[in-house]
Amino acid sequence: MKNYLSLSSLQTDLKNGNTTCNDVVTEYLSRIEGNKHLNAFLEVYEDEALSLAKQIDVKIKQGTAGKLAGMVIAMKDVICHKNHKVSSSSKIIENFTSLFSATVVERLLAEDAIIIGRTNCDEFAMGSSNENSAFGPVLNPIDNKRVPGGSSGGSTAAVAAGLCLAALGSDTGGSIRQPSSFCGVVGFKPTYGRISRYGLIAYASSFDQIGPITNCVEDAALIMEVIAGKDDYDSTASSIAVPKYSEELNSKGKVKIAYISECIDNPGLDPEIAAYLKNLILKLKEEGHTVEPVSFPYLDYMVPTYYVLTTAEASSNLARFGGIVYGKRSNNSVDIDSTFVKSRSEGFGPEVKRRIMLGTFVLSAGYYDAYYSKGQKVRRILQDKTFEILKDFDFILLPTTPKTAFELNSVKDPVTMYLEDIFTVQANLTGLPAISLPMGTHSNGLPFGVQLIGKKFEEAALLAFSNHLYPNK
Ligand code: GLN
């Protein structure tokens, strides 16, 4: 089989009869089997995917197939899919079978996407390396000694290794964009509220967004127009109309781009990534775009604010996993207290425990004002300052990650790991859409992403300009 890098090229072959969904799924299944060492998938739905493929092949012949016919897609293990397991890569709900499907799953299936399996991730989406999964780390397909990034590392590794055409991830602080940068794929985090979170296992509800991981911007646009939009099951899902993103990818107008000097000149940024961005800025100017530096002297507040607020929300969201209604009950529990304590102590991994404790601390009566309430105020300032930039500019250009993928087990200190998120959390703190485009290759052979943040609910413009920067291969 050809290595399809866009749904449109695959659909051309499907229409011409050069291939079938059955062939495509068969090929992906064999690649998944051949790449088991990556540990990208926690479960593969062989029979179901093949049977769906056959049904969709019939629909293609009849001319009744949906818009995503041929789209073989993987789901991060935090997205509910009726009658399928969903575990958040955690032992605590290892054997939980979902009773309903997330809105995104319903919408994908309605357009004839084929869900091929669920992918490994950091436990409860907490991490930047996929090393926090209870089911073992995922390996970076480009260099197996390195991490794929996290928390959607299984999803990005699967797309990068050609084990599926696309995947869904979730992004609370960078979990789609950072691993996309590490693995060399396109990762898109929509505006907060653009996509229903119904059926997404929550980490931090005021930050979480589901988004696509693809080989090209066009596929991200196609998936977006299928999964985005209002939903009666999630009141935070906006009713703002969803444009046909894939039909608006060719706008060629000149744009205004701001770049944050404190990011580009950051001493922690790999010099080759910095040089690449500076060169890109020159090229964009030559093309006639307005590209100007802006100062944003709040970088140091970003990661601490993110970790105060997200751990607070996580401590509340994860309270339900107590061995009573949700979560495996400890065999060592003898009464109600020991049921909670032992089930949670045995069920959660160390990073999740750390965050629950941190979050409980920042919400506790004596420290609420000093941390949680202050964090909310700082979040507002960060939002206001970012929105100010976007009054004068269409996009903000910045790196996705400070460095390329690091080696497994090399980052031992949690704070160093948290600083991985330095360039990605701004979009989540402000609710803005952001994309990572795999434009760079480092002299160490590893890919790195270029990040663009767009205006609220203006994904169409962001995707169109991204498609210009990173056209289909
Ligand atoms: N790396 C970040 C964290 O550990 C982002 C996680 C995410 O976006 N889910 O919180």
Side-chain angles (χ1 to χ4, degrees):
M1 183 179 95
K2 270 198 240 167
N3 193 28
Y4 292 104
L5 295 175
S6 69
L7 182 64
S8 56
S9 60
L10 169 59
Q11 284 186 339
T12 307
D13 281 0
L14 286 170
K15 281 208 188 91
N16 296 340
N18 292 337
T19 190
T20 62
C21 291
N22 190 52
D23 287 347
V24 171
V25 169
T26 306
E27 171 69 19
Y28 282 131
L29 289 173
S30 97
R31 289 188 196 169
I32 292 172
E33 187 59 32
N35 284 279
K36 271 198 157 154
H37 64 286
L38 297 178
N39 201 20
F41 281 87
L42 293 177
E43 196 179 351
V44 184
Y45 313 137
E46 290 95 349
D47 296 344
E48 190 183 341
L50 283 169
S51 121
L52 260 179
K54 289 187 184 105
Q55 291 167 33
I56 295 166
D57 281 332
V58 172
K59 286 193 191 175
I60 292 174
K61 281 212 182 96
Q62 294 169 339
T64 57
K67 160 193 275 187
L68 295 183
M71 173 64 83
V72 178
I73 190 165
M75 289 297 121
K76 182 177 180 181
D77 185 34
V78 288
I79 298 173
C80 294
H81 183 181
K82 191 174 177 177
N83 298 331
H84 294 73
K85 284 186 184 174
V86 60
S87 79
S88 278
S89 291
S90 179
K91 285 231 175 332
I92 205 158
I93 45 169
E94 190 173 356
N95 293 312
F96 178 73
T97 299
S98 193
L99 302 172
F100 65 93
S101 283
T103 299
V104 292
V105 166
E106 299 274 11
R107 291 183 182 174
L108 286 172
L109 293 175
E111 288 295 343
D112 288 332
I114 298 170
I115 300 177
I116 196 158
R118 65 186 164 102
T119 47
N120 201 346
C121 58
D122 283 300
E123 185 177 2
F124 285 102
M126 296 175 184
S128 306
S129 67
N130 223 116
E131 292 167 299
N132 296 335
S133 167
F135 307 113
V138 176
L139 310 185
N140 189 313
I142 297 144
D143 176 349
N144 291 176
K145 290 191 303 302
R146 293 175 190 270
V147 302
S151 64
S152 315
S155 290
T156 54
V159 176
L163 313 184
C164 49
L165 191 56
L168 289 191
S170 64
D171 192 311
T172 305
S175 275
I176 289 176
R177 290 160 288 149
Q178 186 255 17
S180 292
S181 174
F182 278 10
C183 291
V185 292
V186 175
F188 186 59
K189 182 204 89 80
T191 307
Y192 181 81
R194 189 45 119 175
I195 294 183
S196 168
R197 289 178 295 112
Y198 180 68
L200 168 70
I201 296 181
Y203 159 17
S205 312
S206 76
F207 292 75
D208 300 339
Q209 267 297 284
I210 295 171
I213 294 158
T214 53
N215 292 297
C216 63
V217 177
E218 188 184 71
D219 284 359
L222 273 167
I223 293 173
M224 279 296 297
E225 66 196 40
V226 169
I227 63 176
K230 84 175 176 55
D231 180 17
D232 291 344
Y233 294 119
D234 175 5
S235 60
T236 65
S238 166
S239 55
I240 296 177
V242 179
K244 293 254 181 297
Y245 300 114
S246 65
E247 290 168 20
E248 293 183 20
L249 289 177
N250 291 322
S251 61
K252 289 266 182 280
K254 300 294 171 230
V255 299
K256 289 182 81 180
I257 303 170
Y259 62 92
I260 298 177
S261 316
E262 287 83 356
C263 292
I264 307 259
D265 296 322
N266 195 291
L269 181 62
D270 181 292
E272 282 191 35
I273 301 183
Y276 183 90
L277 283 165
K278 285 180 182 158
N279 198 29
L280 178 64
I281 289 167
L282 289 179
K283 276 209 325 232
L284 290 169
K285 282 186 185 163
E286 273 164 26
E287 280 183 19
H289 303 291
T290 305
V291 194
E292 285 170 12
V294 293
S295 176
F296 190 83
Y298 311 101
L299 219 53
D300 290 348
Y301 300 94
M302 219 85 91
V303 170
T305 308
Y306 169 81
Y307 276 93
V308 168
L309 297 178
T310 55
T311 55
E313 293 187 24
S315 77
S316 152
N317 276 326
L318 272 57
R320 73 193 68 175
F321 304 106
I324 310 266
V325 181
Y326 290 106
K328 201 156 59 182
R329 185 171 304 170
S330 165
N331 292 330
N332 305 317
S333 52
V334 289
D335 54 15
I336 183 81
D337 280 351
S338 64
T339 301
F340 283 129
V341 172
K342 291 198 189 297
S343 300
R344 288 167 73 80
S345 302
E346 291 164 20
F348 288 131
E351 182 58 30
V352 174
K353 285 180 190 161
R354 179 183 294 120
R355 294 195 191 196
I356 291 173
M357 286 190 278
L358 248 170
T360 309
F361 173 76
V362 301
L363 287 172
S364 60
Y367 294 96
Y368 184 94
D369 285 341
Y371 292 103
Y372 183 71
S373 168
K374 191 177 264 175
Q376 293 283 43
K377 290 177 190 154
V378 179
R379 183 180 195 182
R380 171 51 69 92
I381 294 170
L382 295 172
Q383 281 174 348
D384 290 348
K385 298 289 175 193
T386 308
F387 295 165
E388 251 170 52
I389 300 176
L390 288 169
K391 268 196 203 130
D392 299 326
F393 294 90
D394 299 303
F395 312 114
I396 301 172
L397 171 72
L398 66 175
T400 308
T401 52
K403 297 194 166 56
T404 51
F406 46 89
E407 292 200 355
L408 283 149
N409 302 316
S410 65
V411 179
K412 307 255 191 259
D413 162 42
V415 176
T416 311
M417 190 68 95
Y418 296 170
L419 287 170
E420 269 301 305
D421 306 329
I422 180 96
F423 302 127
T424 48
V425 293
Q426 186 172 7
N428 307 79
L429 283 160
T430 56
L432 294 169
I435 193 164
S436 178
L437 302 167
M439 293 171 62
T441 306
H442 198 274
S443 60
N444 64 13
L446 295 167
F448 61 85
V450 165
Q451 191 185 188
L452 284 170
I453 299 180
K455 295 185 192 189
K456 219 167 219 179
F457 292 108
E458 294 193 18
E459 282 91 354
L462 180 58
L463 288 164
F465 189 65
S466 299
N467 192 48
H468 164 69
L469 281 183
Y470 188 71
N472 281 15
K473 292 234 164 103

